[in-house]
Amino acid sequence: MTPPRPYRLAGDPEQSIPLLTPDEERQMHEADLPETLPVLTLRNTVLYPGVVLPITVGRDATLKLVKDAYAGERLVGVVAQKRAEVENPGPDDLYRMGTAATILKLIKMPDGSVSIVIQGQRRIEVEEYTQLDPYLEARVRAVEEPETDGDDPAELDARIRSVKELAVQIVNLSPNLPSEAAYAIQNIESPGFLVHFIASNLQIDVAKKQELLETRPLLDRSQLVLDHLEQEIRVLEISEEIRSKVKTDVDQQQREFFLRQQLKTIQDELGEAEGSSREADELRDKMDERLPDLPDDVVETLEKELTKLARTNPASPEYGVVRNYAETILDLPWDHTSEDKLDLGRAEKVLDEDHYGLDDVKKRILEYLAVLKLKGDMKAPILAFYGPPGVGKTSLGKSIARALGREFHRISLGGVRDEAEIRGHRRTYIGALPGRIVQGLRKAGTSNPVFMLDEVDKLGTDFRGDPSSALLEVLDPEQNDTFNDHYLELDYDLSRVLFIATANYLDSIPAPLRDRMEIIEINGYTPSEKLAIARRYLVPRQLEQNGLREDQFTITEDALLLLIEGYTRESGVRQLERTIGSVVRGVAKTVAVGDAERGDVAADDVPGFLGARKHFNDAAERTEVPGVATGLAWTPVGGDILFVEASVSRGSGRMTLTGKLGDVMRESAQAASSWVRAHADELGIPADAFRYWDLHVHVPAGAIPKDGPSAGVAMTAALASIYTRRCVRHDLAMTGEITLRGLVLPVGGIKEKVLAARRAGLSCVVLPEKNRKDVEEIKDEAVEGLEVHYVKRITEALDVLLEPDPVEDPAELFTVPDAEKRLTAPPAPGAPVVVANGGVEEPAPPGVR
């Protein structure tokens, strides 16, 4: 059939609406269709019969479909997608009913894509998809169009008139639609095309448009369009009401602004504007008092702001912004500093009073004071205390401030995700504030306080910026003398501030930020250190908090050791203090009710306050069978022991790893297996053990992610034990990385691991030779009674780790008769096959190492 004649909108030669007469629409519906059609899929819209629709083609399959169809009969089936996000839709992602369409024009765009103009012909129903590649093709059936059969002509005519009237109202209410569109709608003669044309332009979702397409009687279809038009009119009327109200509010604000300006001019002429400058004069007097401490650029900025404040009407929103800005500048301690107390003896005494141990930290602070005393002025260091929770990192800041005689301010950075928290908000925002650094200096009142950045490893990042990047300037001694806060827009000298950061975990701190800090590791406490801390600090503090005098409570040393080893197993003393508090509160209760005048707590009395003992030394019980080795692990909260279990069963030489192990730990297991297989003859392991027996390696606490190379020695010991049937010594733990050549490489966290072995009641540890220096740094009392073996090769370690006699002969256990060998499938090429974490390869987050 011939294309429909267009109705061109006046004043816009590029915009036109193709109009169909009833005869043209009838010819289009009666046109014959081929049995199969290529299927063109649409996102977010539906094509109706008679409607012309431009489409940009981007998918490769759709591009080929369009080119093939355009070169042929130019006829395609157009079907809408159920979900727009599906990139390559299949038959299940498409509606069954669509529209046969003719490609009227094909335009190649400069970017390689293709735009086409298609016109719907008649409705079709997809019966079966006959082709899926390179594009969809389906056998279709034309849907008959008995729109007027059985419909009341008068009722249909009334609804069509209502549709036209509502559509014209929408055109008049919509500012983006030309008024000529109303004349075009009035000139559409075909009822079916009118309904389809308006339906294609409705602001409704695809499911509702598809419902219109699938509704067969024209009377029902026109009613659906009528309902949607009424809803659209209600929305447009509300929008128009809102626009009118906003315009009225804006006009009122402009009127008030002009009146205020006129009032200000009249007051200036009459000399009556003194009231608005009273606060400006008060701030100017404050500035004059502080002139010796204010830099020249700050004085210049204040002069401008105070002049502006004097000329601003107090009722203006700008007045409060200018006043707050000027007050913030005047409240900052620009050149006001506190005098340092440079008595090294006093400082050392203060640090020793507040904290037990922590010699490295105290040594660094005393070095800083010594240089400051000799030089007179120097840039403050950027210190970072790194260690497990509860070892006193945060409280050290207060002690350092007291030793230096400086003000102390603490900022908790845990969970901070907004860069403006560090650099401040720009004054253009309502309710803008300076950043936490400037606010802290304002509260401290001096330019050289001790500033503690707590939990710096827990900073976050989101769409508001990266706070850790904003800290780069703050914590760089070469840059922080000109720190610029977005709110102040003035340079501030932070070089005299002693910044102290605390962290539990260094890996989450970005490398550039870590590079700007002097890292001081604070390790966990030994049992003897915990005992001293409990006696000196924890017990007196809990007595004070719970209302008991010193003569009303005593606790024996054995009871404290039981609390340390049987009820708390941590690197710090935070949980220990809570446990002591529970015992103190139990005594306080008996004193309060009058049952006793005082409480004397011995080791036998502790279960009565805290219940049964929570931690036991079960390493001996767990290693009494072959295949179990006790390793040493480092965690962000301190050291711990880690059991590695191995078992064998009849199979084909496969190896399975479980326990939520990371990539590095899985590779350690593979290296250990390769070494044991390579040295099977030396260890006395039959060859059949690797070909006809499956190996399963499991690291308990399966819900906790584990990673790192330091379990290599423990895994080798467990494998050697299960294959040689020699038990691993029950009083011994080990750590170290293993290589394929059998070398034992050094690992980190030695002090935490050694302390974990002591807490677990072990009497011997096996460490890499190159970690000897780390053990020498540990206090003698921490390793007293602990036998330490240093090894360079895994063969030396196994001589110490394994019991000399096997529990059974491995040759008898692992030897497989020839008759059974023939029935057993040969091992897969490249065995052993590693199946990690139940067959699911997944990266482990930082956990036990």
Side-chain angles (χ1 to χ4, degrees):
M1 61 174 285
T2 59
R5 67 191 191 284
Y7 178 89
R8 197 167 298 281
L9 300 181
D12 189 357
E14 297 299 323
Q15 190 172 2
S16 61
I17 301 174
L19 304 180
L20 286 179
T21 64
D23 292 336
E24 290 172 340
E25 187 180 31
R26 191 178 305 108
Q27 294 175 15
M28 183 177 64
H29 290 165
E30 294 174 357
D32 294 331
L33 292 177
E35 184 178 353
T36 61
L37 286 176
V39 177
L40 175 65
T41 60
L42 294 183
R43 296 181 183 180
N44 300 319
T45 191
V46 174
L47 178 67
Y48 295 92
V51 175
V52 175
L53 185 67
I55 300 173
T56 300
V57 180
R59 300 170 180 164
D60 293 339
T62 309
L63 193 61
K64 178 171 177 55
L65 180 152
V66 168
K67 290 181 178 179
D68 291 349
Y70 193 76
E73 297 180 0
R74 302 189 180 185
L75 197 62
V76 296
V78 180
V79 181
Q81 292 182 204
K82 296 178 181 178
R83 294 180 299 164
E85 67 270 15
V86 178
E87 189 62 32
N88 295 305
D92 295 335
D93 301 316
L94 304 174
Y95 290 101
R96 301 294 296 179
M97 182 170 288
T99 304
T102 302
I103 302 177
L104 302 179
K105 186 180 295 186
L106 186 145
I107 305 169
K108 294 182 178 179
M109 307 302 290
D111 60 353
S113 62
V114 171
S115 291
I116 61 173
V117 180
I118 60 176
Q119 182 183 19
Q121 297 294 325
R122 61 186 306 180
R123 294 188 295 174
I124 58 172
E125 185 174 354
V126 176
E127 293 184 339
E128 180 186 14
Y129 283 91
T130 59
Q131 174 181 301
L132 300 178
D133 188 67
Y135 50 79
L136 296 175
E137 190 172 281
R139 187 168 67 249
V140 300
R141 177 180 62 83
V143 178
E144 297 298 327
E145 300 289 341
E147 287 92 354
T148 58
D149 292 350
D151 293 344
D152 185 358
E155 184 177 357
L156 178 62
D157 183 63
R159 289 192 182 176
I160 294 300
R161 288 185 182 181
S162 299
V163 168
K164 284 187 177 182
E165 290 174 1
L166 292 180
V168 170
Q169 289 184 39
I170 290 175
V171 171
N172 294 333
L173 287 172
S174 300
N176 298 326
L177 294 178
S179 58
E180 290 81 2
Y183 299 106
I185 293 173
Q186 294 287 3
N187 287 331
I188 296 178
E189 300 175 4
S190 169
F193 176 70
L194 174 68
V195 171
H196 291 160
F197 173 73
I198 293 177
S200 66
N201 289 281
L202 286 173
Q203 300 297 321
I204 56 177
D205 56 34
V206 174
K208 293 180 180 178
K209 286 190 175 184
Q210 183 69 25
E211 181 186 6
L212 281 167
L213 180 67
E214 295 177 358
T215 302
R216 301 192 57 155
L218 181 58
L219 189 63
D220 295 343
R221 208 178 313 164
S222 61
Q223 182 60 47
L224 287 175
V225 171
L226 200 60
D227 294 339
H228 290 307
L229 288 176
E230 290 175 349
Q231 177 67 21
E232 183 68 16
I233 284 179
R234 284 196 293 270
V235 172
L236 289 173
E237 287 175 347
I238 294 173
S239 300
E240 181 64 23
E241 181 181 345
I242 293 173
R243 282 197 298 269
S244 175
K245 184 177 180 180
V246 169
K247 184 176 183 301
T248 302
D249 292 342
V250 171
D251 291 342
Q252 180 66 22
Q253 291 178 5
Q254 290 177 342
R255 178 175 177 273
E256 292 176 358
F257 173 78
F258 287 126
L259 289 175
R260 288 196 186 98
Q261 290 299 111
Q262 291 175 358
L263 178 62
K264 184 177 181 300
T265 303
I266 293 171
Q267 288 177 339
D268 289 343
E269 290 293 328
L270 296 176
E272 296 177 354
E274 297 299 326
S276 62
S277 63
R278 187 176 305 150
E279 285 188 318
D281 292 339
E282 293 176 357
L283 292 174
R284 192 178 299 276
D285 293 340
K286 187 175 180 181
M287 181 187 72
D288 293 339
E289 294 175 3
R290 296 203 52 200
L291 275 179
D293 296 335
L294 298 179
D296 294 339
D297 58 336
V298 175
V299 174
E300 183 180 349
T301 301
L302 276 174
E303 289 285 358
K304 293 179 181 179
E305 294 298 323
L306 294 178
T307 301
K308 185 193 300 183
L309 184 67
R311 294 178 179 176
T312 304
N313 192 310
S316 171
E318 182 71 14
Y319 184 85
V321 174
V322 176
R323 183 192 60 202
N324 291 338
Y325 178 65
E327 288 178 346
T328 300
I329 293 178
L330 287 171
D331 288 343
L332 287 175
W334 291 92
D335 280 333
H336 176 65
T337 59
S338 59
E339 184 178 355
D340 288 325
K341 298 177 181 178
L342 302 179
D343 185 346
L344 299 182
R346 174 189 171 277
E348 184 175 8
K349 181 180 178 182
V350 169
L351 293 174
D352 288 338
E353 285 178 357
D354 292 347
H355 288 83
Y356 181 85
L358 306 178
D359 296 333
D360 291 341
V361 182
K362 297 174 181 178
K363 176 184 175 184
R364 183 64 184 89
I365 297 303
L366 293 176
E367 289 173 351
Y368 170 67
L369 282 176
V371 175
L372 189 63
K373 183 176 183 179
L374 294 175
K375 191 178 178 182
D377 186 21
M378 66 174 293
K379 291 184 176 180
I382 311 297
L383 305 179
F385 298 156
Y386 148 65
V391 295
K393 300 185 298 296
T394 303
S395 61
L396 261 173
K398 296 180 180 179
S399 298
I400 292 172
R402 191 162 76 91
L404 294 175
R406 294 189 180 187
E407 297 294 329
F408 175 79
H409 184 76
R410 173 183 167 271
I411 295 177
S412 178
L413 297 179
V416 172
R417 295 178 177 271
D418 190 353
E419 180 186 354
E421 294 281 346
I422 307 298
R423 284 194 171 276
H425 304 81
R426 299 196 181 275
R427 281 183 290 154
T428 52
Y429 295 106
I430 297 175
L433 291 171
R436 292 196 181 190
I437 304 297
V438 172
Q439 292 183 43
L441 291 169
R442 186 178 181 181
K443 292 179 181 177
T446 63
S447 288
N448 63 338
V450 174
F451 223 102
M452 174 149 284
L453 305 175
D454 217 2
E455 309 292 354
V456 72
D457 58 326
K458 298 173 181 62
L459 283 170
T461 302
D462 63 8
F463 64 93
R464 293 169 292 184
D466 184 1
S468 62
S469 298
L471 280 176
L472 293 177
E473 182 183 3
V474 176
L475 299 182
D476 191 342
E478 302 300 325
Q479 301 180 37
N480 62 7
D481 57 342
T482 56
F483 173 70
N484 193 290
D485 187 275
H486 288 162
Y487 181 83
L488 294 181
E489 295 181 342
L490 293 167
D491 290 340
Y492 196 98
D493 185 4
L494 297 178
S495 63
R496 292 166 293 187
V497 180
L498 177 55
F499 285 103
I500 300 176
T502 69
N504 300 128
Y505 197 62
L506 286 182
D507 291 356
S508 60
I509 304 176
L513 184 59
R514 216 164 44 231
D515 183 63
R516 285 161 167 78
M517 300 185 292
E518 181 179 343
I519 306 295
I520 298 178
E521 183 175 3
I522 302 179
N523 295 303
Y525 295 113
T526 64
S528 59
E529 288 174 333
K530 289 184 178 180
L531 183 62
I533 292 171
R535 282 290 185 200
R536 187 179 299 184
Y537 304 105
L538 306 184
V539 172
R541 187 158 57 209
Q542 287 301 316
L543 289 176
E544 181 182 355
Q545 291 180 1
N546 293 285
L548 287 180
R549 300 188 307 273
E550 291 185 3
D551 60 346
Q552 292 179 306
F553 179 86
T554 59
I555 184 169
T556 64
E557 185 171 307
D558 291 340
L560 285 176
L561 286 175
L562 178 60
L563 295 181
I564 293 170
E565 297 178 354
Y567 290 88
T568 61
R569 187 165 285 182
E570 56 176 343
S571 294
V573 293
R574 186 170 292 147
Q575 185 63 32
L576 175 60
E577 183 172 6
R578 295 194 190 101
T579 306
I580 293 174
S582 297
V583 175
V584 173
R585 286 192 297 273
V587 173
K589 178 183 175 183
T590 61
V591 172
V593 298
D595 293 342
E597 295 182 358
R598 54 175 288 113
D600 299 319
V601 180
D604 295 338
D605 302 324
V606 171
F609 293 101
L610 302 177
R613 180 170 177 162
K614 297 180 180 179
H615 301 289
F616 297 91
N617 300 325
D618 60 347
E621 299 175 8
R622 301 182 66 168
T623 57
E624 61 185 6
V625 295
V628 183
T630 307
L632 295 173
W634 177 94
T635 72
V637 295
D640 201 356
I641 62 171
L642 191 73
F643 292 99
V644 178
E645 301 176 351
S647 67
V648 291
S649 59
R650 285 299 301 273
S652 58
R654 295 172 61 88
M655 181 169 72
T656 303
L657 298 177
T658 56
K660 207 169 182 61
L661 309 182
D663 292 337
V664 179
M665 203 163 183
R666 293 201 296 268
E667 291 171 359
S668 295
Q670 290 176 287
S673 175
S674 298
W675 187 89
V676 172
R677 291 165 64 90
H679 297 78
D681 293 339
E682 303 172 24
L683 297 172
I685 305 173
D688 291 347
F690 304 109
R691 299 189 60 195
Y692 300 100
W693 294 78
D694 287 344
L695 174 67
H696 187 161
V697 179
H698 176 68
V699 183
I704 300 175
K706 311 168 191 71
D707 203 2
S710 62
V713 172
M715 286 189 168
T716 307
L719 297 188
S721 173
I722 196 66
Y723 283 124
T724 63
R725 312 306 294 171
R726 295 163 59 188
C727 294
V728 180
R729 286 178 52 183
H730 65 273
D731 61 339
L732 181 147
M734 64 212 76
T735 187
E737 181 179 355
I738 180 70
T739 71
L740 289 177
R741 294 185 296 154
L743 297 178
V744 179
L745 303 183
V747 293
I750 291 299
K751 180 178 180 181
E752 300 297 332
K753 294 176 179 178
V754 170
L755 294 180
R758 282 290 305 274
R759 286 196 299 268
L762 302 176
S763 60
C764 180
V765 291
V766 175
L767 304 176
E769 172 65 35
K770 293 185 178 179
N771 283 122
R772 184 187 293 268
K773 64 181 188 312
D774 299 305
V775 178
E776 292 174 352
E777 295 176 0
I778 306 175
K779 291 183 178 181
D780 293 338
E781 60 183 21
V783 294
E784 184 179 356
L786 190 66
E787 183 183 358
V788 182
H789 290 275
Y790 300 100
V791 296
K792 295 181 179 179
R793 305 188 65 85
I794 190 62
T795 51
E796 303 173 26
L798 293 180
D799 291 339
V800 179
L801 297 172
L802 299 180
E803 297 286 356
D805 299 323
V807 297
E808 56 185 319
D809 187 1
E812 296 181 1
L813 176 65
F814 291 111
T815 301
V816 180
D818 292 339
E820 293 187 25
K821 291 181 181 180
R822 288 191 295 268
L823 299 175
T824 304
V833 177
V834 178
V835 182
N837 298 332
V840 180
E841 296 287 343
E842 58 179 7
V848 177
R849 297 194 299 175

